[in-house]
Amino acid sequence: MADTIYDLIVIGSGPGGYVCAIRAAQLGLRTALVEKDKTFGGTCLNIGCIPSKALLHASELYEQTGHIFAKMGIKVGAPKLDLGAMMKFKDEGVDGNVKGVAFLLKKNKVDTFTGVGRIAAPGKVEVKGGNGKAQMLDTKAIVIATGSDVARLPGISIDEKRVVSSTGALVLDKVPERMLVIGAGVIGLELGSVWRRLGSQVVVVEFLDRILPGMDNEVCRQFQRILEKQGISFKLSSKVTSVDASGNRLKVKVEPASGGAAETIEADVVLVCVGRVPYSNGLGLDEVGVEKDNRGRVVIDDHFATNVPGIYAIGDVIAGPMLAHKAEDEGVAVAEIIAGQAGHVNYDVIPNVVYTYPEIASIGKSEEELKAAGVAYNAGKFPFTANGRAKVNLQTEGFVKILADAKTDRVLGVHIMGPDAGNMIAEAAVAMEFGAAAEDIARTCHAHPTLTEAVKEAALAVGKRSIHM
Ligand code: FAD
Ligand code: NAI
């Protein structure tokens, strides 16, 4: 192995890194992948997307069993929670997925190294294993795909038992009677929903005056009301200033965001989810002179290249939305660029999904963004209360909203709140990728009875001619 010179070494095996390595190998590049953890798949597969979706799925079925089954004539009695078994189900799902990645890497003949990777110099990656032994690998190109870590709040220490990040919130061994969530972003609402469904009283404290900042305002206002009806309570425009862990119950001090009288809220578990920060510890970036921005993100050009020749970066460690599918697409694009092809990511068409009930899915511009940019647009909206399939399934909360350019009718943004919104947004992504007009969606035959007919109706509504409303 000492004589091997790789074409590419990827550091980090999350969705950015492992996808990049596989694509590079497909293109004939001699490729190695370095991962510091025992399993491949990074945040997404081990402590992110996959375990959180497993718990969201299981807890949603638990709730449905208790509420909707009887209405449909299915009598099963009150469901009983076996949290240990639910966690095992989640862990098995994770295990199957990480093993799948190991299989794919092997199948594509990617050499894998377990240990902490450090860029010793351009073209040189040192891998230090758990036994402290280091080996030096030679390569023509390096891709940094080291992802992100939990953002912390000053003065609030996370012990992953009572004061937890998302990582601890995925492995609690009992349902907390009271959970206080700091941050009404994606993690707060997804994991807050899991524990509320399993029996916790959940209070979410958010610094801003709204939930899910950055997502369409109209969707978020309605969504907040739905979550409140489900039993989650919100303290907006508020901040947590301290957590006292000395007693049996945590005592959390909450103040108005602009300052003022504090109140104390008691909780059994506090979930800190105020964002994530790029992770590049121990990589040797400063020593080799790789530029970072003021938020610690690796700076790249339009081709994912850093300022140091032969070193590239993708995924959560660079700017942009911290999403698995964005990291994956960047992994493919950078591998193609390194192989001499024209890899590219269309950042205008990246879906964003919150996997609560109902789900929220969006793509493209929000109304607020279009207004701020002075773009004239028409909005077409269609509620699920008027969709036959949603009605018969008793899943009528939410709507589809399509925003189209007032002059050209080109679709600029699609926002869906409703059952299965995360799957439905794919239609909008394909349409937008092909530069479709709302008319194109409106004239496309959609199967009946499906929830996707609401997308067609919203497109018809852009031209003020929806049929079922
Ligand atoms: P990561 O997945 O973070 O992988 C980086 C890898 O690099 C890690 O395995 C790390 O161990 C390794 N590494 C770091 N430094 C070194 C080093 N020096 N040497 C060797 N290895 C190193 N996104 C979605 O799109 N959908 C979701 O539903 C979703 N749910 C989420 C739920 C939670 C609770 C969390 C926390 C995140 C979620 N995300 C979701 C975000 C998603 O997980 C990230 O955007 C994605 O994992 C980023 O991929 P990445 O490849 O850039 O980095
Ligand atoms: P986030 O950025 O989505 O939300 C953080 C929230 O915390 C914001 O609303 C912010 O205003 C608030 N906040 C910040 N400081 C605060 C303070 N001191 N007090 C109270 N509120 C404060 O971050 P989150 O939820 O931690 O998730 C991290 C990232 O992980 C997401 O941005 C997303 O990219 C990714 N993710 C994606 C998922 C998906 O695609 N379904 C699921 C989970 C995570």
Side-chain angles (χ1 to χ4, degrees):
M1 197 57 79
D3 298 333
T4 305
I5 297 183
Y6 286 103
D7 294 311
L8 172 63
I9 295 181
V10 182
I11 308 178
S13 75
Y18 87 76
V19 168
C20 175
I22 290 174
R23 183 69 188 123
Q26 282 178 346
L27 291 166
L29 301 186
R30 180 144 208 196
T31 307
L33 179 68
V34 182
E35 170 56 55
K36 68 175 171 53
D37 289 346
K38 283 200 293 282
T39 52
F40 300 120
T43 304
C44 173
L45 272 71
N46 293 282
I47 51 167
C49 325
I50 295 297
S52 61
K53 264 78 259 180
L55 290 182
L56 278 156
H57 179 63
S59 62
E60 192 179 325
L61 291 181
Y62 175 70
E63 179 154 84
Q64 280 182 8
T65 312
H67 288 95
I68 298 181
F69 272 31
K71 282 193 193 149
M72 296 179 178
I74 308 167
K75 293 208 170 144
V76 289
K80 262 173 94 180
L81 177 66
D82 179 344
L83 185 61
M86 193 179 279
M87 289 293 170
K88 186 162 171 270
F89 152 80
K90 176 225 13 162
D91 292 341
E92 284 170 358
V94 168
D95 190 52
N97 275 283
V98 299
K99 283 188 176 140
V101 171
F103 165 79
L104 291 173
L105 291 167
K106 203 165 172 189
K107 179 181 154 205
N108 285 281
K109 303 194 171 43
V110 174
D111 287 346
T112 55
F113 295 86
T114 301
V116 177
R118 183 179 69 87
I119 304 176
K124 288 207 174 292
V125 174
E126 181 201 67
V127 183
K128 202 178 258 177
N131 56 6
K133 281 202 185 129
Q135 61 180 318
M136 194 65 80
L137 306 174
D138 292 312
T139 179
K140 294 180 191 154
I142 297 169
V143 169
I144 301 166
T146 49
S148 61
D149 192 10
V150 171
R152 286 152 209 273
L153 281 174
I156 298 178
S157 65
I158 293 175
D159 62 12
E160 297 295 11
K161 295 261 180 283
R162 295 204 295 163
V163 182
V164 297
S165 70
S166 53
T167 308
L170 290 167
V171 293
L172 296 178
D173 56 9
K174 66 174 200 265
V175 178
E177 208 176 298
R178 293 177 185 201
M179 174 180 262
L180 185 137
V181 175
I182 312 179
V186 199
I187 293 180
L189 301 186
E190 286 188 356
L191 294 182
S193 289
V194 165
W195 291 106
R196 200 272 310 148
R197 291 169 189 165
L198 298 182
S200 296
Q201 279 175 41
V202 176
V203 180
V204 181
V205 178
E206 164 61 45
F207 190 80
L208 299 176
D209 60 359
R210 53 162 300 172
I211 65 170
L212 291 175
M215 290 189 101
D216 187 88
N217 247 331
E218 185 185 14
V219 169
C220 292
R221 273 200 315 272
Q222 263 205 39
F223 184 46
Q224 186 184 334
R225 282 198 294 274
I226 292 172
L227 290 175
E228 281 168 344
K229 242 173 51 196
Q230 291 175 1
I232 295 185
S233 52
F234 289 92
K235 287 200 162 288
L236 301 183
S237 306
S238 302
K239 61 183 178 198
V240 169
T241 52
S242 67
V243 178
D244 173 0
S246 58
N248 279 346
R249 274 217 156 125
L250 301 165
K251 291 196 172 61
V252 186
K253 275 225 159 85
V254 181
E255 268 183 24
S258 51
E263 64 174 314
T264 301
I265 301 179
E266 293 199 345
D268 303 291
V269 168
V270 168
L271 165 59
V272 181
C273 44
V274 292
R276 294 182 63 84
V277 289
Y279 183 85
S280 58
N281 291 357
L283 255 184
L285 297 190
D286 294 338
E287 292 79 349
V288 287
V290 171
E291 192 190 338
K292 289 188 274 181
D293 68 13
N294 57 1
R295 290 164 67 181
R297 300 175 296 196
V298 175
V299 176
I300 48 142
D301 66 10
D302 287 347
H303 295 93
F304 307 100
T306 69
N307 59 317
V308 178
I311 303 182
Y312 302 79
I314 56 167
D316 280 11
V317 80
I318 63 169
M322 289 183 165
L323 295 172
H325 41 283
K326 176 251 188 195
E328 287 186 42
D329 284 6
E330 288 175 343
V332 168
V334 75
E336 291 176 347
I337 289 169
I338 292 168
Q341 298 187 352
H344 172 72
V345 175
N346 180 0
Y347 289 101
D348 290 333
V349 183
I350 294 189
N352 202 348
V353 180
V354 187
Y355 297 86
T356 42
Y357 186 82
E359 289 183 350
I360 309 285
S362 70
I363 191 160
K365 303 288 183 213
S366 64
E367 290 204 56
E368 296 73 45
E369 284 171 325
L370 292 176
K371 280 180 192 146
V375 177
Y377 65 93
N378 293 320
K381 219 172 117 181
F382 190 81
F384 283 105
T385 43
N387 172 275
R389 185 67 179 275
K391 268 160 91 165
V392 77
N393 284 357
L394 305 175
Q395 294 186 310
T396 52
E397 283 167 317
F399 57 85
V400 179
K401 178 161 74 174
I402 296 185
L403 309 172
D405 189 284
K407 271 202 214 101
T408 64
D409 195 37
R410 188 181 174 132
V411 177
L412 302 173
V414 178
H415 305 274
I416 308 177
M417 171 168 54
D420 226 13
N423 281 322
M424 282 194 280
I425 204 71
E427 171 182 2
V430 174
M432 288 176 73
E433 196 62 54
F434 281 82
E439 182 75 14
D440 293 317
I441 299 178
R443 298 245 172 224
T444 301
C445 189
H446 286 65
H448 175 78
T450 62
L451 299 169
T452 66
E453 287 172 287
V455 178
K456 175 180 174 150
E457 290 277 3
L460 283 165
V462 170
K464 302 200 176 359
R465 56 181 218 276
S466 74
I467 300 289
H468 292 90
M469 208 171 46

